[in-house]
Amino acid sequence: MRTKSSEKAANDYHSVRVAHEDVRESCPPLGLETLKITDFQLHASTVKRYGLGAHRGRLNIQAGINENDFYDGAWCAGRNDLQQWIEVDARRLTRFTGVITQGRNSLWLSDWVTSYKVMVSNDSHTWVTVKNGSGDMIFEGNSEKEIPVLNELPVPMVARYIRINPQSWFDNGSICMRMEILGCPLPDPNNYYHRRNEMTTTDDLDFKHHNYKEMRQLMKVVNEMCPNITRIYNIGKSYQGLKLYAVEISDHPGEHEVGEPEFHYIAGAHGNEVLGRELLLLLVQFVCQEYLARNARIVHLVEETRIHVLPSLNPDGYEKAYEGGTELGGWSLGRWTHDGIDINNNFPDLNTLLWEAEDRQNVPRKVPNHYIAIPEWFLSENATVAAETRAVIAWMEKIPFVLGGNLQGGELVVAYPYDLVRSPWKTQEHTPTPDDHVFRWLAYSYASTHRLMTDARRRVCHTEDFQKEEGTVNGASWHTVAGSLNDFSYLHTNCFELSIYVGCDKYPHESQLPEEWENNRESLIVFMEQVHRGIKGLVRDSHGKGIANAIISVEGINHDIRTANDGDYWRLLNPGEYVVTAKAEGFTASTKNCMVGYDMGATRCDFTLSKTNMARIREIMEKFGKQPVSLPARRLKLRGRKRRQRG
């Protein structure tokens, strides 16, 4: 309901301040960073050029590499004088409580505002300046370009428009700034436009930011609610000794069921990209609740899949970002591990090993296209490898994951491997894997079911427009990264891994979490369901025993996978007919045609392998304590004897 003071403000341009006796409330951001505030709601007195227009004056917006005319890193005024301003049209009466500012995002230039005035208006013509006693209040701005600075208004102001008027700026720079406005929109039940655009959710979940202790407590609550389908375990420890907790969701938690694929979600490799962390905590709550409610889709997913959820891979970094808070952490606070390592590109570079071997002409044997060994230097204690990275590698080597997604932030796109360009002199180059069509489908399955990713009308987060591939992108064609989790996963394990960037704002305000959950909920579920696409089966010997590490090859796709310890396997494939071969050391290879349909559910494709004659002979001889004769070695021995006799 509208208060008396807000009703008075609505009718009197000169009474925009809220009375002192009103309760002081902490208002959320209006949404410049999250793009809830559109470009049409931002205006400025003058602009240096289009790429430095008011629409670029958003907190944490990033400039393009070339800082071109379209995507630069701030609003910059066309002139440096005291008449310049940038304003926000909230489109409804709003209780403004604070302003957050930054300087210009630039590698080369130093531009920021050091002080400013704040004005408000109900009609954009008559303006009231925020006072400090009898005079205009001067707010202290920035002392460098990246660290956000919050100024709370001495008294909340109710108005529709708010304007920032720079009063001083860095001596050697220009008037440039990025900003966020804190404000509480006042209820307006008569305005259909506002009601229609306000996102609500019916899910009864814990929509808040959870620090490490709260995250652990939430996991415990979910485990107590659903003890029959959940298990909490840890995969290792962070640099500072925090346990890396995961939640397993399965109808038989704690065990690998033969024929059941394993899936994982990871979030928080960059500690300050917290939206993924909260989405995964919401997901485990949701799955538990829907399973108890006997939601047929969720029940089927839980009973047919072993799901692992690791919400915080870099808890040390998160705690640092959490201390800074939702708007004041900037773009990078808490991104790295405590010892300064970026987990996202801390994995061994297996791409270069593979490509160099393929390019050599004198390779004595066929180059392996999968399960490429980790280099010895990487395994040494002196290698610059994060404890968190080693924990993930051990986890992925232990569990036969088929599909995984790592949730990141700061963009709205799904990136698929390869992440490293093949041409060493390029920074961007489309570099597909042999499974490019499968990866494209997996990426599109998430993007197309997200509420915004494939919306051609939505504004780009920073500089990249991903609409040409409908919300997806090949990682290397975006920006090259050596040693990414995606590439390592594909080349060292059976797991197909993708990076899912879930929002422009890395650390959205709690008030945004219900909307972000609605944006991502269906996508999170649909992507998990893709683990059941392709073929699956068992590779057994003639006695019915599963054969571990048997190689599964698909004709025309130069990437193999291997069976798990029980001889079961899963091979992600798009619909079509495939010639599939199973082979193992000591066994005769077997080939068959396997059809993949359009309906969800992997096609069963089993193999029974017979031992080779040599393997049978070796078995018999070993049984009686003898070694089988190696015929090639015997021939060489005889030839040598004949030469000596001739001599």
Side-chain angles (χ1 to χ4, degrees):
M1 295 178 63
R2 294 171 72 179
T3 62
K4 288 184 179 179
S5 57
S6 66
E7 287 176 358
K8 186 174 186 291
N11 298 306
D12 184 357
Y13 294 144
H14 302 286
S15 302
V16 290
R17 286 184 296 176
V18 178
H20 282 280
E21 60 267 19
D22 278 13
V23 178
R24 184 66 180 269
E25 57 185 313
S26 177
C27 287
L30 289 188
L32 276 78
E33 185 174 6
T34 62
L35 307 183
K36 191 173 181 180
I37 295 294
T38 69
D39 289 352
F40 300 106
Q41 292 173 260
L42 298 171
H43 307 278
S45 51
T46 60
V47 299
K48 189 165 285 188
R49 62 170 186 267
Y50 176 77
L52 293 167
H55 64 293
R56 301 297 293 177
R58 300 173 181 273
L59 194 71
N60 286 320
I61 204 162
Q62 301 295 292
I65 295 173
N66 301 317
E67 299 197 24
N68 58 47
D69 286 344
F70 293 102
Y71 299 118
D72 224 323
W75 160 68
C76 289
R79 299 186 301 273
N80 291 333
D81 59 45
L82 299 180
Q83 280 67 54
Q84 304 308 309
W85 49 261
I86 181 172
E87 72 180 39
V88 181
D89 176 5
R91 287 186 173 163
R92 63 194 294 181
L93 284 178
T94 300
R95 179 179 285 108
F96 297 115
T97 62
V99 176
I100 302 171
T101 59
Q102 269 176 320
R104 177 180 178 179
N105 175 247
S106 171
L107 293 173
W108 300 279
L109 300 171
S110 298
D111 297 322
W112 60 82
V113 170
T114 55
S115 67
Y116 57 88
K117 293 181 182 180
V118 176
M119 307 173 182
V120 293
S121 171
N122 281 344
D123 62 357
S124 79
H125 296 292
T126 304
W127 292 88
V128 174
T129 303
V130 175
K131 302 289 184 182
N132 183 13
S134 59
D136 295 348
M137 185 165 186
I138 304 295
F139 293 91
E140 187 174 342
N142 300 87
S143 57
E144 59 92 76
K145 54 191 169 188
E146 288 299 335
I147 299 176
V149 173
L150 165 66
N151 278 295
E152 293 185 313
L153 304 188
V155 178
M157 310 284 281
V158 171
R160 172 175 167 173
Y161 301 88
I162 185 167
R163 178 179 283 186
I164 311 302
N165 172 215
Q167 296 297 294
S168 62
W169 43 94
F170 181 57
D171 287 344
N172 298 320
S174 303
I175 296 178
C176 295
M177 64 190 309
R178 294 173 285 170
M179 67 179 187
E180 181 62 85
I181 304 296
L182 304 183
C184 297
L186 298 181
D188 188 359
N190 299 318
N191 193 317
Y192 171 74
Y193 174 83
H194 294 148
R195 293 203 311 275
R196 187 186 65 180
N197 284 276
E198 287 173 352
M199 173 60 65
T200 57
T201 182
T202 58
D203 295 328
D204 183 19
L205 306 174
D206 191 17
F207 292 106
K208 60 167 285 187
H209 288 294
H210 299 81
N211 62 22
Y212 183 79
K213 184 178 179 181
E214 293 166 337
M215 178 186 76
R216 179 69 182 89
Q217 182 61 33
L218 179 62
M219 289 178 171
K220 186 178 178 182
V221 169
V222 171
N223 181 234
E224 289 171 351
M225 282 178 61
C226 296
N228 297 329
I229 63 164
T230 61
R231 177 177 72 101
I232 302 170
Y233 67 101
N234 74 79
I235 69 167
K237 291 183 178 180
S238 71
Y239 182 87
Q240 291 191 298
L242 298 178
K243 291 180 179 179
L244 307 177
Y245 284 112
V247 179
E248 177 191 339
I249 306 174
S250 167
D251 57 341
H252 292 88
E255 62 179 280
H256 169 71
E257 297 178 67
V258 177
E260 187 169 289
E262 309 237 9
F263 175 94
H264 72 248
Y265 271 130
I266 299 172
H270 295 145
N272 65 330
E273 294 170 8
V274 307
L275 178 54
R277 171 193 178 110
E278 296 306 330
L279 288 174
L280 293 190
L281 293 176
L282 292 167
L283 178 66
V284 296
Q285 296 174 67
F286 177 79
V287 171
C288 171
Q289 290 181 8
E290 294 300 303
Y291 184 86
L292 294 176
R294 306 309 291 170
N295 178 324
R297 182 186 186 191
I298 299 300
V299 169
H300 181 266
L301 185 64
V302 171
E303 292 180 349
E304 298 298 325
T305 321
R306 191 179 181 208
I307 303 164
H308 304 257
V309 177
L310 181 68
S312 185
L313 177 55
N314 180 7
D316 297 350
Y318 175 82
E319 292 301 299
K320 197 176 291 184
Y322 187 81
E323 289 174 15
T326 175
E327 303 304 318
L328 300 181
W331 188 250
S332 60
L333 181 67
R335 175 184 177 88
W336 299 280
T337 62
H338 188 75
D339 49 340
I341 295 173
D342 186 339
I343 298 175
N344 197 46
N345 56 358
N346 190 225
F347 293 83
D349 172 13
L350 304 182
N351 306 57
T352 303
L353 293 177
L354 172 66
W355 295 336
E356 285 179 352
E358 287 179 346
D359 292 340
R360 285 197 298 267
Q361 298 299 316
N362 57 345
V363 178
R365 58 185 177 80
K366 188 179 179 184
V367 180
N369 61 24
H370 71 300
Y371 273 55
I372 298 172
I374 297 174
E376 286 187 19
W377 67 264
F378 188 91
L379 300 173
S380 71
E381 290 185 8
N382 296 327
T384 308
V385 182
E388 297 86 347
T389 306
R390 294 191 190 278
V392 169
I393 291 175
W395 185 49
M396 297 187 73
E397 289 179 333
K398 180 181 178 182
I399 298 175
F401 290 118
V402 180
L403 177 62
N406 57 88
L407 274 57
Q408 301 190 46
E411 265 298 349
L412 202 55
V413 68
V414 182
Y416 55 89
Y418 288 123
D419 289 329
L420 180 65
V421 296
R422 183 149 188 170
S423 303
W425 59 88
K426 293 186 178 180
T427 57
Q428 292 178 315
E429 178 186 46
H430 183 72
T431 310
T433 66
D435 284 287
D436 190 55
H437 287 91
V438 177
F439 274 115
R440 284 173 179 266
W441 167 256
L442 293 170
Y444 185 68
S445 71
Y446 194 100
S448 62
T449 47
H450 189 279
R451 288 185 63 253
L452 298 174
M453 272 192 197
T454 55
D455 186 350
R457 298 167 299 175
R458 77 170 181 86
R459 185 195 187 284
V460 299
C461 289
H462 300 282
T463 64
E464 300 283 347
D465 186 355
F466 298 108
Q467 288 308 311
K468 59 182 180 294
E469 286 192 52
E470 298 185 283
T472 70
V473 67
N474 171 255
S477 69
W478 181 14
H479 53 75
T480 185
V481 175
S484 75
L485 172 57
N486 294 349
D487 291 2
F488 168 80
S489 179
Y490 182 68
L491 294 175
H492 185 69
T493 77
N494 286 340
C495 185
F496 285 39
E497 183 91 18
L498 294 86
S499 294
I500 302 166
Y501 293 80
V502 291
C504 305
D505 188 350
K506 291 182 177 184
Y507 198 153
H509 190 270
E510 277 183 2
S511 61
Q512 292 293 319
L513 293 179
E515 182 171 352
E516 293 295 355
W517 169 245
E518 287 294 320
N519 288 343
N520 288 275
R521 178 183 56 196
E522 179 65 14
S523 301
L524 289 165
I525 297 168
V526 165
F527 188 71
M528 286 192 287
E529 291 172 334
Q530 304 312 306
V531 77
H532 297 284
R533 184 172 295 280
I535 60 174
K536 68 177 182 179
L538 284 165
V539 179
R540 292 172 286 202
D541 62 18
S542 54
H543 302 292
K545 184 181 178 183
I547 302 172
N549 282 319
I551 297 173
I552 306 296
S553 302
V554 179
E555 187 177 282
I557 302 177
N558 187 31
H559 181 78
D560 304 333
I561 57 127
R562 298 197 183 194
T563 56
N565 291 334
D566 298 303
D568 46 351
Y569 78 90
W570 308 263
R571 182 50 163 104
L572 296 175
L573 292 167
N574 285 347
E577 186 174 350
Y578 298 91
V579 178
V580 184
T581 300
K583 53 190 174 185
E585 188 176 349
F587 293 87
T588 304
S590 174
T591 300
K592 59 171 61 176
N593 289 344
C594 302
M595 178 68 75
V596 178
Y598 286 89
D599 295 335
M600 187 58 72
T603 302
R604 191 71 186 254
C605 208
D606 295 331
F607 294 88
T608 300
L609 304 186
S610 302
K611 287 192 175 177
T612 61
N613 290 336
M614 180 55 73
R616 287 201 197 98
I617 292 169
R618 187 176 285 112
E619 239 179 35
I620 294 168
M621 298 294 282
E622 285 176 355
K623 188 175 181 181
F624 293 100
K626 298 179 180 180
Q627 293 298 321
V629 177
S630 174
L631 295 178
R634 184 173 179 124
R635 285 195 200 100
L636 287 171
K637 195 173 182 181
L638 287 171
R639 284 175 192 159
R641 189 182 299 168
K642 286 178 181 178
R643 285 196 203 96
R644 285 194 298 273
Q645 287 172 353
R646 288 194 202 104

